[in-house]
């Protein structure tokens, strides 16, 4: 019985650390060719934001509607 309790505690710790890691790295940023704007992607909801910072300091972000999808990779013929 103590083995099962220990295994459950380890499983709970792994799940909790995975959740904390996922929430901590929720946003991914992509730079654009200009230094004034960047794209921010919310990995949890899939929303895309375009952020502008014409001057040093806080940036303002607005939601962009992204349409389309990533196509499948072409299959190689052998």
């Amino acid at each position: 019985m103590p083995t099962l309790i220990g295994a459950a505690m380890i499983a709970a710790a792994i799940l909790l650390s995975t959740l904390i890691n996922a929430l901590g790295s929720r946003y991914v940023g992509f730079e654009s060719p200009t230094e004034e704007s960047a794209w921010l992607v919310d990995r949890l909801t899939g929303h895309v934001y375009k952020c502008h910072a014409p001057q040093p300091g806080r940036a303002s972000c607005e939601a962009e509607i992204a349409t389309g999808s990533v196509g499948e990779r072409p299959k190689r013929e052998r």
Side-chain angles (χ1 to χ4, degrees), residues 6 8 12 15-16 19 22-23 30 34 36 42-43 56 59 66 69 78:
L15 290 174
L16 183 63
L19 176 66
L23 292 177
F30 297 99
T34 64
E36 292 183 359
D42 184 352
R43 295 196 302 176
S69 62
R78 295 183 181 200

Side-chain angles (χ1 to χ4, degrees), residues 5-49:
I5 294 172
M9 289 175 61
I10 291 171
I14 291 172
L15 290 174
L16 183 63
S17 69
T18 303
L19 176 66
I20 291 171
N21 188 26
L23 292 177
S25 60
R26 180 176 177 178
Y27 295 100
V28 177
F30 297 99
E31 294 180 8
S32 66
T34 64
E35 294 183 7
E36 292 183 359
S37 63
W39 293 91
L40 192 64
V41 179
D42 184 352
R43 295 196 302 176
L44 192 61
T45 62
H47 291 106
V48 179
Y49 300 95

